[in-house]
Amino acid sequence: MSRIAYVNGRYVPHAQAQVHVEDRGYQFSDGVYEVCEVSGGFIIDRTRHLDRLDRSLSELAMAWPVGRDALGRIMIEVTSRNRVRDGLVYLQVTRGVARRDHPFPPPGTPTALVVTAKSTDRRAFAEKAEKGVAVITVPDNRWDRVDIKTIGLLPNVLARQQARDSGAAEAWMVDEDGMVTEGAATNAWIVTMDNVLVTRPAENGILRGVTRATALEAAAKLGLAVEERGFTVAEAKAAREAFMTSATSQIMPVTSIDGAPVANGHPGETARQLGRAFFGAAEKIAVAGSLSLEKR
């Protein structure tokens, strides 16, 4: 089955999906995005993703491309048309098409919207989570407003490529004070020897991860102790466990950092517990064959 994309009001074959050469996302990275997990025929935590989209648009003085409810229906429709049961739905909003100039385009220029969806291999993901993954650490050289989910991701791209070249799955970024901020595409967590979960506060230094927020709720339901504070690379390497969270990796155990094993080099029980409890805490929006906004 050929894939279908939504581009500025039209559902088109993925291979024919196009944006204008003077779209400001293409020329200036003047746009924002969201990625939602799809699991078992449900879009996960859509409300939180749309809340974060609203914040990103507001911070950049950018208008919604369509109404919020309409965008929610488009996400369901694209996911359904692509028959995605397990996978990802991606949406991107840019400031639109205008003659190339750094200042904002004239008032009334419509923002541009693209939505796509694709299937992922749930079994391969489970096998990776069972073994855990490696991360490396790199200097955090991004701009200060990483709390806005913009499409300007070149430092993240370079960090993730450095990780791949090193045989790792992710790069954890480290600030000038030696504290881990977050991964190139994930939030970073450790579990101390006292069995306390630690993750950096969701301030301007990191993105407010949606999966992170749901994982915090799952941890509370499990009665796990949590501290929102920074931690050093040395503390992470000496931790009982480490893991990372995102819509694309959910709750993924980290078993080595910069080539050194975390604890015994195997996924820990806390990450496993959170993985099992995650969907019980998450919002689930039904997809299959319907434009219904029913919540399950």
Side-chain angles (χ1 to χ4, degrees):
M1 184 193 75
S2 62
R3 291 174 61 194
I4 302 296
Y6 176 94
V7 182
N8 294 325
R10 299 175 58 230
Y11 295 95
V12 297
H14 190 273
Q16 299 173 22
Q18 299 177 358
V19 295
H20 195 280
V21 68
E22 289 191 315
D23 184 289
R24 288 179 63 91
Y26 173 70
Q27 295 192 330
F28 294 112
S29 294
D30 190 4
V32 298
Y33 75 103
E34 286 291 332
V35 183
C36 292
E37 179 184 6
V38 181
S39 180
F42 295 92
I43 297 177
I44 304 302
D45 285 331
R46 189 187 65 181
T47 296
R48 276 187 165 139
H49 281 283
L50 292 181
D51 286 347
R52 187 171 63 183
L53 175 67
D54 183 60
R55 180 179 183 276
S56 294
L57 291 170
S58 177
E59 290 294 312
L60 297 180
M62 198 176 296
W64 279 75
V66 295
R68 177 172 173 141
D69 288 346
L71 180 52
R73 291 193 293 272
I74 291 166
M75 293 170 67
I76 291 175
E77 180 73 357
V78 172
T79 306
S80 179
R81 289 195 185 205
N82 286 281
R83 300 180 186 176
V84 175
R85 179 173 176 80
D86 295 299
L88 301 168
V89 56
Y90 174 89
L91 65 93
Q92 177 174 299
V93 182
T94 72
R95 207 177 299 274
V97 176
R99 182 177 179 178
R100 190 181 190 280
D101 192 12
H102 285 71
F104 293 173
T109 301
T111 50
L113 172 64
V114 170
V115 183
T116 60
K118 66 178 181 180
S119 296
T120 55
D121 188 341
R122 177 61 58 181
R123 183 169 55 184
F125 173 85
E127 291 174 354
K128 184 182 291 186
E130 186 65 25
K131 296 178 181 178
V133 298
V135 303
I136 62 170
T137 58
V138 299
D140 193 339
N141 61 354
R142 301 169 298 166
W143 76 318
D144 288 340
R145 293 306 309 276
V146 295
D147 58 298
I148 306 172
K149 197 169 178 68
T150 75
I151 60 176
L153 294 173
L154 187 55
N156 307 63
V157 168
L158 295 175
R160 183 59 77 91
Q161 184 61 42
Q162 186 176 340
R164 177 177 291 183
D165 291 343
S166 301
E170 177 63 302
W172 279 4
M173 298 186 174
V174 181
D175 66 19
E176 294 179 349
D177 297 321
M179 310 296 285
V180 174
T181 53
E182 60 185 340
T186 59
N187 287 127
W189 302 65
I190 62 171
V191 181
T192 70
M193 287 299 178
D194 295 326
N195 212 37
V196 177
L197 278 71
V198 180
T199 189
R200 191 179 179 105
E203 298 168 344
N204 284 4
I206 68 168
L207 182 70
R208 297 172 182 267
V210 167
T211 304
R212 173 190 180 279
T214 301
L216 286 170
E217 286 190 2
K221 289 182 178 181
L222 291 169
L224 300 174
V226 177
E227 291 182 6
E228 292 187 69
R229 62 170 176 82
F231 57 87
T232 65
V233 176
E235 187 177 5
K237 291 180 177 179
R240 172 177 288 179
E241 295 181 44
F243 60 93
M244 58 191 190
T245 58
S246 72
T248 55
S249 64
Q250 203 191 102
I251 297 172
M252 180 61 65
V254 171
T255 51
S256 76
I257 301 173
D258 291 333
V262 177
N264 63 3
H266 297 282
E269 183 55 31
T270 302
R272 294 180 191 274
Q273 278 186 289
L274 281 175
R276 291 191 294 265
F278 179 82
F279 287 108
E283 175 196 52
K284 295 172 279 292
I285 306 293
V287 172
S290 172
L291 293 181
S292 168
L293 299 184
E294 177 184 5
K295 297 182 181 181
R296 300 279 181 89

